[in-house]
Structure formats: structure tokens, C-alpha cells
Amino acid sequence: MTPSAPARAAARQPRPISLADFRAAAREVLPAAAFDYLEGGAADEHTVRWNAEAYERLALLPRVLTGTSGVDTRRTLHGTELPSPVLLAPTAAHGLFHPEAEAATVRGAAAAGALTTVSTFSTLTLEEIGAAATGPWWFQLYVQRDRALTEELVHRARAAGAGACVVTVDTPVTGLRERDLRNGFALPSHGTPANLAGSRPGAPGSAHRGIHDPRIDPAVGWADLERLRTVSGLPVLAKGIVRPDDARRAAEAGIGVWMSNHGGRNLDTAAPPLATLPAVAAAVAGRVPVVVDGGIRRGTDVVKALALGADAVAIGRPYVWGLAVDGADGVSAALRALHRETELALALLGAPDLASLTPDLVAPAR
């Protein structure tokens, strides 16, 4: 029997021990266009680079002789206790990366004790994902022009087991994804969004033609998020906040803050979330949790974000690398690698738990 391409690639590669290793292995097994779809950002991809470089520009100042004999990485978010402050950010079309798609993702995340955020544009239906999930998960929502469909999606997610609704607020239009344009990339049949099957795109007026998506409503406002909280009966988070004034308004409305610039995939040269995290955390003042994503590749990145005011962090591309390499086992292995690094960073910082991560542990590196 001839080995498959992934099996041949796995035989050539040493066992991944870091997220960078998983990225290299994923590049070996994925078609070039699928890898570019995952990796690519908007325009010149400055923001993609800046997200990671923001962490590199910060140094850690460890405490010594603290008598730390163990570390506790538990964190409670919206009533759910998690063994780690690392969440899975929503990413679309997992069928592009593994035949078992999001079913493998939620199984792998649960095995590592992590919470998954499931995309509106998932390959599998919410019901299929909920049946496969053995751990907590949230639902990421793109508000549709068809508001009846929007409410239906939220009700389906809750019925399938979702514990919160994460509303993407930074995508009134899709960014300029030049890698995809050069590749002539389009989602294949095994990557199309199952949750929108049978639905019809809205009929945008003349102001909504051209750059606007025929399904996603660009005119979403704060009142829509407050209504979704009432309609869903779930905690609601706004994903895509980077400004303190927006964060303050969300907190005043009881809406969770998810700091993100969409992984650098929307507005190129947008600021890295880490750059405004201290100001956002101050504006929120503990009224709602603050989640931050973008550029996290090491456990030291995790502790830097938490020290500067985040309650949790989220990763996107890195767990998809694991999914591409080895399905559910690859997802859990990538998460465990990052968790181990986080534990080591806490111990070496002299911080016994997440509450011990304070701003004085971080300084500019250059």
C-alpha cells in the first residue's frame, strides 16, 4: 500500500515540539493555495508581521526567590472554568485542512482542555460540531443581512451546546487578500459553509455593491449586539475591538471584549492588539473579560498579554497547523506544546498563578 502524502511528509519530519514546527509540517502537507489561504493577510501583510513583532519587542523581568513550587494556569470565563487561558479563535472552513474538519478540532481542543470558538463559516453544521464536542465551545457570528437567519443561527448554536456568542465586529467588508487573488483561490465543495446551506444572499442596494459581501450585513451597530444578548440568552462578546473607547462602551453594555485585528487579514497597517491592550484593559476596568488574539506563538507571548491586562488569549493559525498535520491529535499536541511553554514561563517569572502576572513583569526590549 502506497503511503499517503501526509504520511510521507510525517515520515520526513521530526516530531513537532513548537508551534513553528507545526507550521513547517503543515506547509509540507497542505496544497500551496490552501496554505496561502490560511497564512495570508491583507495587502502587504504588514499587520500580520506586526502582530508577532509586538511580542518580540517586549522583554520579561522575572521575580526571584518567590518560593514558587508550582503554577496554576486555570481561568474562569463567562462561568466556565478552563485549565488554560488559551482559547481557539474562530477560523473558517476546517474541511480545507483535514477530512474530519471541525469535528477533529473540537475533539482535539477538548483533549487539551481548551475552549473552541466555532466559525459561522464552518465546514460542518453547528449540530454536527456540537455532537462531536466533549468540551466547551462558543459560536462566532457574522451578522447576516437576513436577520431572521441570524437569529436562527444563534438559536441553533445554543441548542447545540454553545456557551457564548462571539460577534465579529471588524468586518463590514472583507480585506484585500492578495495571495488568494493571485492563486485564483475559491473554497472547494469540502470547504463551503454548511450552516448557510440553502440560504440566499441578501439583495444589497447600490451602496452595498462592489466591495460588500452579499451575505454579511455591514450596517451592524451596538443595538444589534444588545439585541443578540437578549435573543440568544448567552453571554455576548464583540470580536474586533482595538480602541479603548469602543472597549468602554462594550463594558458599559455588559458585552465582553475580544481584541483582534482579524489576524491581519482585513485592514493592513492596523495596530497590533497588544499595542493598545493596556489602555483597553484600563477602560474596561474588570467589568467584562478581555480576550486578545493576533501573533501569539510562544508561552512567553501568552504571559506578556496576561501581564498587560488580558484575561485570556486566543490562537488561530497555530491550531489549524496542528489540524492539518494530524487531525484531532495535532490540535491537542499544538495546544499542549503552548501550554507547557506557558507553565514554564510562569515558573521562571516567579508567578505561581495567572493573577500574579502584573505589568511590572514586562518592559520594552528595544
Side-chain angles (χ1 to χ4, degrees):
M1 184 176 181
T2 303
S4 65
R8 292 195 300 272
R12 293 195 300 270
Q13 293 284 341
R15 180 176 65 89
I17 60 172
S18 70
L19 295 185
D21 292 341
F22 281 99
R23 181 183 184 275
R27 189 166 199 163
E28 289 287 326
V29 301
L30 287 174
F35 186 79
D36 275 353
Y37 171 73
L38 173 62
E39 292 292 289
D44 295 312
E45 301 186 353
H46 291 298
T47 294
V48 176
R49 295 190 296 274
W50 292 354
N51 281 350
E53 290 171 356
Y55 288 93
E56 296 171 5
R57 289 195 294 267
L58 292 178
L60 292 168
L61 300 172
R63 305 183 185 105
V64 298
L65 301 175
T66 60
T68 302
S69 58
V71 295
D72 182 356
T73 60
R74 289 175 297 175
R75 171 103 323 155
T76 298
L77 290 176
H78 294 291
T80 300
E81 184 178 284
L82 302 168
S84 167
V86 178
L87 317 180
L88 276 65
T91 55
H94 290 192
L96 281 175
F97 310 109
H98 192 272
E100 296 180 8
E102 289 83 10
T105 302
V106 293
R107 288 200 307 272
L115 182 150
T116 305
T117 312
V118 173
S119 172
T120 294
F121 295 142
S122 58
T123 302
L124 300 182
T125 66
L126 293 167
E127 292 77 12
E128 290 170 324
I129 295 167
T134 56
W137 61 281
W138 293 347
F139 172 55
Q140 175 270 330
L141 173 70
Y142 284 108
V143 176
Q144 306 289 295
R145 295 178 189 275
D146 182 341
R147 294 308 176 89
L149 172 60
T150 298
E151 294 190 10
E152 177 190 336
L153 286 169
V154 172
H155 289 310
R156 285 175 56 197
R158 183 176 182 181
C165 181
V166 179
V167 184
T168 294
V169 297
D170 64 355
T171 311
V173 298
T174 302
L176 181 62
R177 313 277 174 82
E178 291 187 351
R179 292 201 204 195
D180 294 344
L181 292 172
R182 292 189 181 100
N183 291 333
F185 179 80
L187 287 174
S189 60
H190 60 280
T192 52
N195 293 307
L196 302 179
S199 66
R200 292 185 177 181
S206 59
H208 290 159
R209 296 187 186 277
I211 64 172
H212 290 90
D213 188 283
R215 294 183 189 271
I216 298 173
D217 194 338
V220 177
W222 289 102
D224 294 297
L225 270 66
E226 294 176 17
R227 173 171 169 74
L228 279 169
R229 189 173 56 180
T230 301
V231 167
S232 70
L234 295 171
V236 169
L237 296 84
K239 179 180 180 292
I241 287 177
V242 292
R243 294 173 55 97
D245 51 354
D246 285 336
R248 183 179 297 108
R249 184 163 184 177
E252 289 170 350
I255 294 167
V257 171
W258 186 316
M259 296 188 67
S260 178
N261 56 29
H262 218 89
R265 295 166 71 83
N266 278 355
L267 177 64
D268 199 23
T269 71
L274 193 70
T276 57
L277 172 56
V280 164
V284 168
R287 287 173 289 183
V288 294
V290 175
V291 179
V292 63
D293 69 27
I296 292 164
R297 299 293 182 264
R298 286 285 188 181
T300 47
D301 300 337
V302 175
V303 299
K304 288 172 185 177
L306 297 181
L308 292 178
D311 293 287
V313 303
I315 58 172
R317 294 176 179 94
Y319 76 80
V320 181
W321 300 333
L323 176 68
V325 171
D326 197 16
D329 289 343
V331 172
S332 61
L335 287 166
R336 287 183 175 125
L338 186 60
H339 182 67
R340 175 174 168 76
E341 290 181 10
T342 303
E343 289 183 314
L344 286 168
L346 281 165
L348 291 167
L349 279 171
D353 53 31
L354 302 185
S356 303
L357 293 172
T358 49
D360 62 289
L361 293 170
V362 180
R366 58 179 186 269

